[in-house]
Structure formats: structure tokens, C-alpha cells
Amino acid sequence: MIRVGILGYGNLGKGIECAVKNNPDMELKAVFTRRNPADVKILTEGVSVYHVDEAISKKDEIDVLILCGGSATDLPEQTKEYAKYFTVVDSFDTHARIPEHFANVDKSAKEGGNIAVISCGWDPGMFSLNRLYANAILPGGNDYTFWGKGVSQGHSDAIRRVEGVKNGKQYTIPVEAALNAVRNGENPELTTRQKHIRECFVVAEEGADKARIEAEIKNMPNYFADYDTTVHFITEEELQRDHAGIPHGGFVFRTGKTGWNGENSHVIEYSLKLDSNPEFTASVIAAYARAAVKMQKEGMSGCKTVFDIAPAYLTHLSGEEIRAHLL
Amino acid sequence: MIRVGILGYGNLGKGIECAVKNNPDMELKAVFTRRNPADVKILTEGVSVYHVDEAISKKDEIDVLILCGGSATDLPEQTKEYAKYFTVVDSFDTHARIPEHFANVDKSAKEGGNIAVISCGWDPGMFSLNRLYANAILPGGNDYTFWGKGVSQGHSDAIRRVEGVKNGKQYTIPVEAALNAVRNGENPELTTRQKHIRECFVVAEEGADKARIEAEIKNMPNYFADYDTTVHFITEEELQRDHAGIPHGGFVFRTGKTGWNGENSHVIEYSLKLDSNPEFTASVIAAYARAAVKMQKEGMSGCKTVFDIAPAYLTHLSGEEIRAHLL
């Protein structure tokens, strides 16, 4: 059994807890939190919640520690710190800071003789993998990534910061015509506006000026101004009833040509349709947590991304079994 | 530069030659054939064609030898023989014999200090990878593989063996309703007939009994009897004009649930739409040939499948570059 620790018990941490339950070779050993442990109720019976300060003292009881903090401030500190003591996995997704994060974590993980998998999930993660495989297969081609239909936390937060907005949720939706053009091998050049639309469900405060709110959202630079945005005003009850989920997904395409004179075209498409973004991310992380433990036991150490990990490490099945049933 | 040799110059061998041209870090060094080398004209200027008996004597000039023979009789002998002398890649696809092939090739490759990648292409190959990744992520789920729209060589051959048939081509086509049911997460139980239809284009000999030919095709056990099959009679000219290509493709799905009580559903879909089956297969093989050479240079040896190879080995880009641009 792979003994799993979770550090940080938000949506992702809860998702990891569920993924551990769904993987028969894993067991949850401990949850660590910065809150008062007595205030954190988890789903798994018989497992203790500890204050984060106790984590390092539990290192011999845990095979892999999943770091479920945020990329902005938590993970840059946590992953490099805990990789000294644990085999760890994080979902760091601040793209520009990956080189720095990789270098810091690599140093700690090597120091500790541990494996540290960073930037794990679906994007970065499974989408990255598909970009890499498809680029290696079709060297002279075009890449397209579309996101959605799904909830963007950042854009939902941006809506909620508008004056007069009580609550809100934003869906990112790929433009069907753009998807089809790519799928048909037309290799379109697509602007930001041509790729995605943004749909907002907004609960206004009583007496607020809805026309102003709508205009303010639609013209918000970076977040909405470059997109076709629709704004629907609904009640708090409707928001809770119809928009409580955290679905997401998307599409990764690569198109390219082969042949002596590029006479044949090919389209590679990978897509995800997810009811729960954090639970799917957690499911990917659980598979890579297994890989990390196996690699560490083989004597490897250092920082790894999905690019560095042979697929066979992800499964609990043997080489013979996967060759017989999945090849 | 990775120096590539090709053994066997049919559709796949020609595809490898084109893939080498399209990969800037590869060069073709030699083609080996069982035919009279003087009769084999290749596309690359300045590269020699040798009789297969000369292959082993050229081993120091070649970094990786791509074995382009058939799975029935060629590869079971060739891969285990040449893996003693070369890093090799094959596209062995006789599923039931993979364990035996793997064991034989592994022994030779270890003996020779070489890497031997077997069963490389898109199925087995990229489809297998997607099955493995998706199974690791969603442990309690359902797998679906659909093939097509594409030309099945085996079924086209079967048509041509029917008395009175001069020429013919068969397309395997996934049933749209089945694809959509899977894509919508309905987890259907599908019979053979519900998954694929078979469309045949047949050139009859003059005076042949078309009704008998059609009935004979439609009732052919294993090949057609379990499918809804349509038969179109066309002229040889129409066949050459409209059906000269070798397109193929298909879809790999995994659907599964996450959450404490399986309350959230997810659909993972991978699909290929290929103008040329052999050229795309060759493009996958070229990427794995690069991987094999890199792994051999790092001191690894033995038989590998796509499951055993970390994605980063497939590309000529550095770890820093792929983390910066593809992660």
C-alpha cells in the first residue's frame, strides 16, 4: 500500500482524498492543515488531521506527500521545503516561474534522495504530454489548445470584484466554428476572440445598476475585453442551484503534414470533458504519486515533470499485464 | 545527426524515408532489401540500397535500424536477430504473440547492449499509451476503441479473394451514434455491429454475378458477417481515382467517475484522422527511433514498448525547452 499524506485540505485536497479511496493500492495516512486541525473535518474515517507544523515529524509514515496549496505563494515555498523530507507531487501552474521552481525543487529533492513531481494535473499535465507527443510525431505542424466548457476561477473572482456584484461565475467556452476548422485541418490563424467566448452568471446586489455592471465586466482589460462576453443576471438561488459545480475540460490539437512533399495531412486531437476540475486534477496527481514512489524506490531522485516519467510507472499493473491488456 | 537505416522498402519503409527527411536531426544512411538492390529506387539522393545480407556489416554506420517487415513472419525473426547488432524499432502488431516477441527481443537487445522498441506506431502505439494513461487516471472506468474511417488491408484482401472480384477496397467506419453515446458518458454496452460498419468498393470481373459476390462478401465469417456491410460496384478507373489513398484513424475513450461516491463523471478522448496510415505510423516510429538512440547512449538496453519510454526522450528539444514551451 502506498501511504499518502495531503497537505492543504481545499477542493484539491478533498479530490486527492477521493482519488486515494478509488485507487486500491493507496491509503490515506494523514492530512496536514494550516487551520486549527480540530476545525477540519475530512471524509476518511480513522485518519487524523494534524497541524502543518507536525508534517516533517510524520515523514517515516508517509510514502508520498501531495501538496495542495496555491501556485501564487504556497507551492514556491512548500514544494522546495518538503521535497527535502518527502517524495512529493504538486500542481504548480504559474507558467513563467516553472524554470525557477524546477531548479529549487530539484536541488531539495536530490538533497533528500526524493522524487518531486511538479506541475501535475491536466494543464499543465495531460495537455502538456499531448503537446509533446504530437510535436515529436509531427515536427512541422501547428498546435492548438482550447479550454472549456468550464469554470474559470480567476474570471469568476474578477466578476465578483465589480462594484454591485454579490456573486458570480464565469464559463470559458471554445468557439465551435474554430474547433471545427482546426479539426478539419484548415490550420486557421485564430485571434483570442475567435477561440473562446466567455459567459457570465451574475448575482447583482439589490438596487445595483445592472447596465453599468454588464459594461464594466465586458470592458475589463485582460479578462473580458478581448472576448465576446455574455452576461446573465440571475438570483443567488439560481446560481446555487444551476452553477454549483466546477466542470472544465478542453481540447489539444496538432495538425501536420507527412510525405516527401507534405502531401498528406493528419489531425491529432485530445480532449477532456470533466464534471469536476479539482477531482480530475487529483486523479492525475494520484497516478503520478504512484509513479513518484516507484521511481524513488528504484533509487532515482530529483525534480520531474510528466515529460520525464515513463508511462508504465503510473499504473499498479505489471509490465506483463499492460503489454497483454493495454498495448 | 541520428543515422537511420531502413530494412524493407514497402509503404512503411517509404514512410520512414519521408519522416527522416522531415526530422532535422536525422539522416538516412542506407536501405536494405531482400529484392535485387538495383531494382529498388528510393527517393533520397545519394543514399545506397543494399541487399539485406549486407546489413550487419554496416552496423557501425547506423545508429538505429527501422525494421519495416510484416508481423506474420518477418518481424518475429528479424527483430530478435538485428537487436543483437543494432538499436532497432519495429511495428509488431500480432497482439497474442507480443509476450513471446518481447522476451526474444529483450534477450538479444541486452546481449548486444542495444535498445529495441517493439510494437510502435498508433495502434499498438499512441492508442495503447492513451489507454494506459487514462486507465491510470480513472481506475474504475470503461475503455472504448473505435477504428476508422480507414482502409483495412486485411478486409480489402478478403474481398479480393472472392471469386469474380478483380479489385476491391474496404473502409472501416465507426458508427456515429455509438461514438456520441460514449462521448456523452452514457457508458453503452456495444456489440460488434453497433461499433463499426464496413463499406466495400468492388471491381467485378466482366460477366461476374454481382449479386452472388455481394452476398458472399456480406456473409463472410469473421470479416463481414457480424457487421452491417455495404457493397458498391465501381469500375477499376473509379477505384484508382477515388480510393487510391490509405487513410485511417480512430478514437480511444475512457470514461470514469470520481468523488467520494462516484458523483462526478469524466470523458477522456483521443483521436486521429490520418491521410496516410503508413506515413503516420512511420512518423511515430521516427520519434521512438530518436528515443531509442538517446536511451542506448545513456547506457540502457533491452526491449521497450511505448509504455517504458519517458516522453522527453522523443523530442530533440532539451528539458529546459520543453518545460518552457510545451508544459
Side-chain angles (χ1 to χ4, degrees), chain B residues 196-271:
Chain B
H196 296 95
I197 56 177
R198 300 201 175 275
E199 189 170 24
C200 308
F201 292 88
V202 178
V203 182
E205 282 168 6
E206 226 178 280
D209 178 349
K210 290 181 180 174
R212 183 203 35 89
I213 290 172
E214 180 167 345
E216 213 166 297
I217 291 171
K218 287 184 170 177
N219 295 314
M220 202 184 294
N222 303 318
Y223 285 92
F224 294 101
D226 297 334
Y227 298 86
D228 289 339
T229 301
T230 54
V231 176
H232 308 278
F233 288 96
I234 60 175
T235 66
E236 182 70 34
E237 292 66 40
E238 287 169 326
L239 190 79
Q240 299 306 331
R241 187 191 66 202
D242 302 334
H243 304 282
I246 319 175
H248 221 312
F251 302 80
V252 173
F253 292 90
R254 186 161 175 93
T255 57
K257 292 179 183 305
T258 64
W260 195 249
N261 294 306
E263 54 272 37
N264 289 308
S265 295
H266 307 276
V267 180
I268 304 173
E269 177 175 352
Y270 179 78
S271 72

Side-chain angles (χ1 to χ4, degrees), chain A residues 3-315:
Chain A
R3 299 168 304 169
V4 177
I6 295 172
L7 198 154
Y9 193 72
N11 282 332
L12 183 60
K14 235 173 262 178
I16 299 288
E17 185 180 22
C18 295
V20 167
K21 184 193 180 199
N22 292 329
N23 277 285
D25 61 336
M26 297 187 175
E27 59 175 326
L28 185 64
K29 287 304 281 188
V31 170
F32 302 101
T33 180
R34 283 182 296 206
R35 292 178 269 170
N36 176 0
D39 295 342
V40 176
K41 297 282 164 257
I42 67 169
L43 299 163
T44 313
E45 275 183 48
V47 172
S48 298
V49 179
Y50 301 98
H51 191 266
V52 67
D53 290 347
E54 295 186 70
I56 293 169
S57 73
K58 305 279 177 202
K59 75 184 176 68
D60 295 333
E61 298 165 37
I62 287 169
D63 296 313
V64 57
L65 182 66
I66 315 292
L67 302 170
C68 300
S71 294
T73 55
D74 299 335
L75 296 176
E77 295 308 315
Q78 289 175 348
T79 312
K80 76 176 176 204
E81 173 64 13
Y82 290 104
K84 294 177 194 163
Y85 309 100
F86 296 91
T87 281
V88 297
V89 186
D90 82 16
S91 58
F92 185 77
D93 66 357
T94 309
H95 202 272
R97 294 187 65 190
I98 288 177
E100 174 196 348
H101 189 56
F102 184 93
N104 290 340
V105 172
D106 193 49
K107 188 164 169 290
S108 303
K110 281 180 177 151
E111 221 175 281
N114 293 314
I115 292 284
V117 181
I118 63 161
S119 302
C120 189
W122 60 274
D123 195 8
M126 297 313 296
F127 275 17
S128 322
L129 268 183
N130 276 280
R131 286 187 282 261
L132 178 63
Y133 277 117
N135 271 264
I137 295 169
L138 296 174
N142 295 303
D143 291 302
Y144 296 90
T145 302
F146 294 85
W147 293 273
K149 182 181 179 176
V151 173
S152 163
Q153 214 49 63
H155 289 80
S156 299
D157 290 344
I159 290 174
R160 289 190 289 258
R161 285 192 298 264
V162 171
E163 208 196 306
V165 170
K166 193 182 155 214
N167 208 344
K169 207 141 186 183
Q170 193 267 182
Y171 295 91
T172 305
I173 306 171
V175 174
E176 201 65 36
L179 281 180
N180 287 333
V182 172
R183 202 172 273 143
N184 292 334
E186 296 168 23
N187 291 306
E189 297 262 356
L190 298 165
T191 63
T192 298
R193 190 178 300 273
Q194 286 169 324
K195 287 188 71 184
H196 296 94
I197 56 178
R198 300 202 175 275
E199 189 170 24
C200 307
F201 293 87
V202 178
V203 182
E205 284 168 4
E206 225 176 282
D209 178 349
K210 290 182 179 173
R212 183 202 36 86
I213 290 174
E214 180 167 346
E216 214 167 297
I217 291 172
K218 287 185 170 176
N219 296 313
M220 200 184 295
N222 304 318
Y223 286 92
F224 293 102
D226 298 333
Y227 299 85
D228 289 339
T229 301
T230 54
V231 176
H232 309 278
F233 288 95
I234 60 176
T235 65
E236 182 70 35
E237 293 65 41
E238 287 168 326
L239 190 80
Q240 299 305 332
R241 187 191 65 202
D242 302 333
H243 303 282
I246 319 175
H248 221 311
F251 302 80
V252 173
F253 291 91
R254 187 161 175 94
T255 57
K257 291 179 184 304
T258 63
W260 195 248
N261 294 306
E263 56 271 38
N264 288 308
S265 293
H266 306 275
V267 180
I268 303 173
E269 176 175 352
Y270 179 78
S271 72
L272 296 173
K273 205 164 68 187
L274 313 174
D275 273 0
S276 165
N277 183 355
E279 287 181 8
F280 188 81
T281 301
S283 300
V284 176
I285 288 174
Y288 277 95
R290 177 185 294 115
V293 170
K294 289 164 77 174
M295 293 167 83
Q296 198 270 348
K297 282 193 178 147
E298 287 185 10
M300 296 181 223
S301 69
C303 188
K304 308 287 176 191
T305 72
V306 293
F307 297 151
D308 306 309
I309 297 176
Y313 283 111
L314 300 178
T315 172

